[in-house]
Protein backbone atom coordinates (compact mmCIF):
# COMPACT_ATOMS: atom_id res chain seq x y z
CA UNK A 1 0.00 0.00 0.00
CA UNK A 2 1.43 3.45 -0.89
CA UNK A 3 2.20 5.81 2.00
CA UNK A 4 -0.84 8.09 2.61
CA UNK A 5 -0.03 11.74 1.82
CA UNK A 6 -1.69 14.59 3.70
CA UNK A 7 -1.58 18.31 2.97
CA UNK A 8 -2.00 20.98 5.61
CA UNK A 9 -2.93 24.48 4.47
CA UNK A 10 -2.35 26.64 7.55
CA UNK A 11 -0.24 29.23 9.35
CA UNK A 12 3.25 28.75 10.75
CA UNK A 13 3.66 28.94 14.54
CA UNK A 14 7.27 29.87 15.31
CA UNK A 15 6.75 28.52 18.85
CA UNK A 16 6.22 25.04 17.37
CA UNK A 17 3.07 24.11 19.32
CA UNK A 18 0.25 24.86 16.90
CA UNK A 19 -0.39 25.53 13.21
CA UNK A 20 1.67 23.86 10.48
CA UNK A 21 4.17 22.58 13.04
CA UNK A 22 1.52 20.71 15.06
CA UNK A 23 0.02 19.31 11.85
CA UNK A 24 3.32 17.94 10.55
CA UNK A 25 4.19 16.45 13.95
CA UNK A 26 0.80 14.73 13.99
CA UNK A 27 1.14 13.35 10.44
CA UNK A 28 4.59 12.08 11.24
CA UNK A 29 3.50 10.42 14.48
CA UNK A 30 0.68 8.64 12.64
CA UNK A 31 2.92 7.40 9.79
CA UNK A 32 1.46 9.73 7.18
CA UNK A 33 3.62 11.76 4.77
CA UNK A 34 2.98 15.44 5.53
CA UNK A 35 3.08 18.34 3.06
CA UNK A 36 2.51 21.99 3.97
CA UNK A 37 1.18 25.09 2.26
CA UNK A 38 1.79 28.14 4.43
CA UNK A 39 -0.89 30.86 4.46
CA UNK A 40 0.69 33.18 7.03
CA UNK A 41 3.83 33.34 9.13
CA UNK A 42 3.22 34.17 12.78
CA UNK A 43 5.76 35.33 15.32
CA UNK A 44 4.40 33.37 18.24
CA UNK A 45 5.34 31.75 21.55
CA UNK A 46 3.40 30.05 24.31
CA UNK A 47 1.72 33.26 25.51
CA UNK A 48 1.42 35.68 22.56
CA UNK A 49 1.24 36.23 18.83
CA UNK A 50 3.46 39.28 18.36
CA UNK A 51 3.10 39.54 14.59
CA UNK A 52 1.36 38.07 11.54
CA UNK A 53 2.77 38.19 8.01
CA UNK A 54 0.18 36.88 5.54
CA UNK A 55 1.55 35.13 2.44
CA UNK A 56 0.29 36.79 -0.79
CA UNK A 57 -2.78 34.82 -2.02
CA UNK A 58 -1.20 34.11 -5.44
CA UNK A 59 1.77 32.53 -3.66
CA UNK A 60 -0.55 30.38 -1.52
CA UNK A 61 -2.10 29.22 -4.80
CA UNK A 62 1.33 28.56 -6.34
CA UNK A 63 2.27 26.36 -3.39
CA UNK A 64 -0.90 24.23 -3.74
CA UNK A 65 -0.63 24.05 -7.55
CA UNK A 66 3.02 23.04 -7.44
CA UNK A 67 2.40 20.27 -4.93
CA UNK A 68 -0.83 18.96 -6.45
CA UNK A 69 0.31 18.83 -10.09
CA UNK A 70 3.12 16.47 -9.06
CA UNK A 71 2.23 14.63 -5.84
CA UNK A 72 -1.06 12.86 -5.23
CA UNK A 73 -2.75 14.61 -2.32
CA UNK A 74 -4.83 11.97 -0.51
CA UNK A 75 -6.56 14.59 1.63
CA UNK A 76 -6.12 18.05 3.10
CA UNK A 77 -6.86 20.03 6.23
CA UNK A 78 -7.06 23.76 6.64
CA UNK A 79 -6.16 25.79 9.72
CA UNK A 80 -5.38 29.51 9.96
CA UNK A 81 -6.48 31.09 6.65
CA UNK A 82 -6.41 34.73 7.77
CA UNK A 83 -8.18 36.55 4.90
CA UNK A 84 -11.04 36.28 2.45
CA UNK A 85 -8.58 36.43 -0.47
CA UNK A 86 -6.63 33.42 0.86
CA UNK A 87 -9.88 31.50 1.48
CA UNK A 88 -10.94 32.09 -2.14
CA UNK A 89 -7.69 30.82 -3.69
CA UNK A 90 -7.58 27.81 -1.37
CA UNK A 91 -11.18 26.91 -2.30
CA UNK A 92 -10.38 27.35 -6.01
CA UNK A 93 -7.39 24.98 -5.82
CA UNK A 94 -9.31 22.39 -3.77
CA UNK A 95 -11.90 22.38 -6.57
CA UNK A 96 -9.35 22.40 -9.42
CA UNK A 97 -7.53 19.34 -8.08
CA UNK A 98 -10.67 17.66 -6.64
CA UNK A 99 -8.91 17.32 -3.27
CA UNK A 100 -10.94 15.09 -0.92
CA UNK A 101 -11.41 14.60 2.00
CA UNK A 102 -10.97 18.16 3.29
CA UNK A 103 -11.16 18.78 7.04
CA UNK A 104 -11.66 22.43 7.97
CA UNK A 105 -10.55 23.54 11.41
CA UNK A 106 -12.19 27.00 11.35
CA UNK A 107 -9.40 28.66 13.36
CA UNK A 108 -10.52 32.15 14.36
CA UNK A 109 -8.73 33.21 17.57
CA UNK A 110 -5.61 31.76 19.24
CA UNK A 111 -5.53 30.53 22.87
CA UNK A 112 -3.47 33.64 23.58
CA UNK A 113 -6.38 35.68 22.17
CA UNK A 114 -4.97 36.90 18.84
CA UNK A 115 -7.22 37.08 15.78
CA UNK A 116 -6.04 34.50 13.22
CA UNK A 117 -8.99 34.98 10.84
CA UNK A 118 -10.06 38.49 9.96
CA UNK A 119 -13.62 39.25 11.00
CA UNK A 120 -14.55 40.12 7.43
CA UNK A 121 -13.32 36.70 6.21
CA UNK A 122 -15.87 34.63 8.19
CA UNK A 123 -18.49 35.15 5.48
CA UNK A 124 -16.11 33.82 2.80
CA UNK A 125 -15.28 30.78 4.92
CA UNK A 126 -19.01 29.95 5.10
CA UNK A 127 -19.81 30.86 1.49
CA UNK A 128 -16.82 29.38 -0.37
CA UNK A 129 -14.71 26.90 1.60
CA UNK A 130 -17.18 25.01 3.81
CA UNK A 131 -19.48 23.86 0.96
CA UNK A 132 -16.43 22.25 -0.73
CA UNK A 133 -15.32 20.47 2.47
CA UNK A 134 -15.99 17.12 4.12
CA UNK A 135 -15.97 17.86 7.87
CA UNK A 136 -15.73 21.13 9.81
CA UNK A 137 -14.45 20.95 13.41
CA UNK A 138 -15.49 24.11 15.31
CA UNK A 139 -14.99 24.59 19.02
CA UNK A 140 -17.91 26.15 20.90
CA UNK A 141 -17.12 29.84 20.22
CA UNK A 142 -16.55 29.03 16.52
CA UNK A 143 -19.75 26.95 16.33
CA UNK A 144 -21.67 29.87 17.87
CA UNK A 145 -20.47 32.08 15.03
CA UNK A 146 -21.06 29.52 12.25
CA UNK A 147 -24.56 28.67 13.54
CA UNK A 148 -25.45 32.24 14.66
CA UNK A 149 -26.69 31.01 18.03
CA UNK A 150 -25.40 30.83 21.57
CA UNK A 151 -24.38 27.46 22.97
CA UNK A 152 -24.51 26.63 26.66
CA UNK A 153 -25.74 23.01 26.81
CA UNK A 154 -25.20 19.71 25.00
CA UNK A 155 -28.64 20.18 23.42
CA UNK A 156 -27.44 23.53 22.02
CA UNK A 157 -24.33 21.80 20.63
CA UNK A 158 -26.55 19.27 18.85
CA UNK A 159 -28.79 22.00 17.44
CA UNK A 160 -25.76 23.99 16.23
CA UNK A 161 -24.13 20.94 14.59
CA UNK A 162 -27.34 20.09 12.75
CA UNK A 163 -27.91 23.72 11.73
CA UNK A 164 -24.41 24.17 10.32
CA UNK A 165 -24.52 20.76 8.63
CA UNK A 166 -27.88 21.21 6.94
CA UNK A 167 -27.52 24.88 6.00
CA UNK A 168 -24.03 24.53 4.52
CA UNK A 169 -24.11 20.87 3.51
CA UNK A 170 -21.22 19.14 5.25
CA UNK A 171 -20.46 17.03 8.32
CA UNK A 172 -19.85 18.83 11.60
CA UNK A 173 -17.87 17.95 14.73
CA UNK A 174 -18.59 20.48 17.50
CA UNK A 175 -15.85 20.17 20.14
CA UNK A 176 -17.04 20.60 23.70
CA UNK A 177 -13.64 21.11 25.34
CA UNK A 178 -14.64 24.62 26.43
CA UNK A 179 -17.29 23.21 28.81
CA UNK A 180 -16.41 21.89 32.28
CA UNK A 181 -16.38 18.15 33.00
CA UNK A 182 -15.50 15.33 30.60
CA UNK A 183 -15.15 16.78 27.10
CA UNK A 184 -18.10 15.79 24.92
CA UNK A 185 -17.97 16.30 21.16
CA UNK A 186 -21.07 16.19 19.01
CA UNK A 187 -20.93 14.90 15.43
CA UNK A 188 -23.62 15.46 12.80
CA UNK A 189 -23.01 13.19 9.81
CA UNK A 190 -25.74 14.55 7.55
CA UNK A 191 -28.52 12.48 9.08
CA UNK A 192 -27.57 11.35 12.59
CA UNK A 193 -26.20 12.99 15.73
CA UNK A 194 -23.46 11.08 17.57
CA UNK A 195 -21.84 11.79 20.92
CA UNK A 196 -18.12 11.22 21.58
CA UNK A 197 -17.15 11.39 25.25
CA UNK A 198 -13.54 11.79 26.35
CA UNK A 199 -11.44 12.18 29.48
CA UNK A 200 -10.38 15.60 30.73
CA UNK A 201 -6.81 16.17 31.89
CA UNK A 202 -6.32 19.32 33.97
CA UNK A 203 -3.37 21.04 32.28
CA UNK A 204 -2.42 24.38 30.71
CA UNK A 205 -0.34 22.57 28.09
CA UNK A 206 -2.96 22.56 25.39
CA UNK A 207 -1.51 24.82 22.67
CA UNK A 208 -2.41 23.38 19.26
CA UNK A 209 -5.03 20.87 20.44
CA UNK A 210 -7.54 21.74 17.70
CA UNK A 211 -4.90 21.61 14.95
CA UNK A 212 -3.72 18.23 16.23
CA UNK A 213 -7.23 16.75 16.31
CA UNK A 214 -8.13 17.80 12.76
CA UNK A 215 -4.77 16.49 11.44
CA UNK A 216 -5.26 13.20 13.30
CA UNK A 217 -8.78 12.74 11.92
CA UNK A 218 -7.45 13.41 8.40
CA UNK A 219 -4.61 10.94 8.93
CA UNK A 220 -6.96 8.13 9.97
CA UNK A 221 -9.38 8.92 7.13
CA UNK A 222 -6.69 8.64 4.46
CA UNK A 223 -5.41 5.46 6.08
CA UNK A 224 -8.83 4.00 5.20
CA UNK A 225 -10.88 4.30 8.40
CA UNK A 226 -14.53 5.32 8.18
CA UNK A 227 -15.43 8.77 9.48
CA UNK A 228 -16.74 7.73 12.91
CA UNK A 229 -13.73 5.48 13.52
CA UNK A 230 -11.34 8.21 12.33
CA UNK A 231 -12.91 10.66 14.80
CA UNK A 232 -12.73 8.15 17.69
CA UNK A 233 -9.10 7.27 16.88
CA UNK A 234 -8.21 10.96 16.38
CA UNK A 235 -9.66 11.81 19.80
CA UNK A 236 -7.78 8.93 21.42
CA UNK A 237 -4.52 10.18 19.85
CA UNK A 238 -5.12 13.77 21.04
CA UNK A 239 -6.00 12.58 24.55
CA UNK A 240 -2.73 10.68 24.77
CA UNK A 241 -0.89 13.76 23.51
CA UNK A 242 -2.54 15.91 26.22
CA UNK A 243 -1.97 13.28 28.93
CA UNK A 244 1.75 13.40 28.08
CA UNK A 245 1.95 17.18 27.46
CA UNK A 246 4.67 19.37 28.91
CA UNK A 247 5.38 23.07 29.58
CA UNK A 248 7.36 25.05 26.98
CA UNK A 249 7.46 28.75 27.92
CA UNK A 250 5.40 30.60 30.52
CA UNK A 251 2.04 30.27 28.75
CA UNK A 252 0.25 27.33 27.16
CA UNK A 253 2.66 24.39 26.87
CA UNK A 254 2.76 21.75 24.16
CA UNK A 255 1.19 18.39 23.48
CA UNK A 256 3.54 15.43 23.21
CA UNK A 257 2.81 14.28 19.66
CA UNK A 258 5.20 11.31 19.84
CA UNK A 259 3.71 9.68 22.98
CA UNK A 260 3.01 6.41 21.17
CA UNK A 261 6.61 5.57 20.41
CA UNK A 262 8.96 8.03 22.14
CA UNK A 263 9.78 9.53 25.51
CA UNK A 264 7.68 12.53 26.58
CA UNK A 265 9.20 12.97 30.03
CA UNK A 266 12.83 11.79 29.75
C1 LIG B 1 -0.48 29.47 13.25
C2 LIG B 1 -1.49 29.07 14.25
N1 LIG B 1 -2.52 28.27 13.87
C3 LIG B 1 -3.45 27.89 14.77
C4 LIG B 1 -3.37 28.31 16.08
C5 LIG B 1 -4.44 27.90 17.07
O1 LIG B 1 -3.94 27.17 18.15
P1 LIG B 1 -4.35 27.56 19.64
O2 LIG B 1 -5.86 27.62 19.67
O3 LIG B 1 -3.84 26.46 20.50
O4 LIG B 1 -3.73 28.88 19.95
C6 LIG B 1 -2.29 29.14 16.45
N2 LIG B 1 -2.14 29.60 17.70
N3 LIG B 1 -1.36 29.50 15.51
Amino acid sequence: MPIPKALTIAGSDSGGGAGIQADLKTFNSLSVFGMSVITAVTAQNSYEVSGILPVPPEFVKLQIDTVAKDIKVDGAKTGMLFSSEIIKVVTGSIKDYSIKPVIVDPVMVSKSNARLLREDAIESLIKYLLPESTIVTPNIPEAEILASMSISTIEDMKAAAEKIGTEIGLKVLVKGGHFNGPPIDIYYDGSNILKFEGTRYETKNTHGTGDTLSSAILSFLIKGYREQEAIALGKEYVEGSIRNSFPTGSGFGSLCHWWRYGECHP
Side-chain angles (χ1 to χ4, degrees), residues 164-180:
I164 298 165
T166 48
E167 282 179 3
I168 308 177
L170 84 171
K171 297 168 183 175
V172 186
L173 182 71
V174 179
K175 301 174 292 186
H178 283 68
F179 284 161
N180 291 330

Side-chain angles (χ1 to χ4, degrees), residues 55-132:
V55 171
E58 57 281 8
F59 200 82
V60 173
K61 178 172 161 47
L62 183 63
Q63 292 176 76
I64 305 178
D65 289 349
T66 305
V67 169
K69 74 183 183 191
D70 176 44
I71 304 172
K72 183 168 182 302
V73 177
D74 294 313
K77 69 146 283 185
T78 66
M80 173 185 183
L81 294 172
F82 191 66
S83 70
S84 174
E85 293 72 27
I86 293 178
I87 289 171
K88 285 183 192 161
V89 299
V90 166
T91 308
S93 298
I94 284 172
K95 281 178 31 188
D96 287 349
Y97 295 99
S98 309
I99 297 176
K100 236 197 272 183
V102 175
I103 314 293
V104 176
D105 181 11
V107 174
M108 294 183 190
V109 177
S110 73
K111 285 224 169 53
S112 54
N113 233 359
R115 268 218 151 267
L116 303 180
L117 180 71
R118 287 171 45 170
E119 190 114 37
D120 62 5
I122 294 174
E123 205 186 311
S124 297
L125 183 80
I126 296 173
K127 192 168 160 195
Y128 300 109
L129 182 60
L130 291 186
E132 302 302 326

Side-chain angles (χ1 to χ4, degrees), residues 177-229:
H178 283 68
F179 284 161
N180 291 330
I184 291 174
D185 295 351
I186 295 295
Y187 182 53
Y188 176 68
D189 71 358
S191 39
N192 300 303
I193 294 274
L194 281 145
K195 204 165 131 182
F196 290 90
E197 200 164 331
T199 309
R200 180 175 296 278
Y201 298 98
E202 287 309 330
T203 174
K204 246 182 92 182
N205 306 325
T206 54
H207 189 47
T209 308
D211 316 60
T212 300
L213 178 65
S214 50
S215 297
I217 294 172
L218 175 65
S219 300
F220 287 111
L221 278 180
I222 66 175
K223 279 154 126 336
Y225 290 92
R226 289 181 308 118
E227 275 154 14
Q228 289 175 32
E229 287 173 312

Side-chain angles (χ1 to χ4, degrees), residues 7-49:
L7 175 66
T8 168
I9 305 170
S12 164
D13 168 7
S14 54
I20 287 276
Q21 287 77 4
D23 298 335
L24 291 176
K25 288 173 196 183
T26 303
F27 296 149
N28 209 59
S29 298
L30 296 173
S31 310
V32 163
F33 178 69
M35 302 173 282
S36 55
V37 163
I38 299 186
T39 55
V41 180
T42 71
Q44 184 169 177
N45 58 24
S46 68
Y47 67 86
E48 69 170 351
V49 176

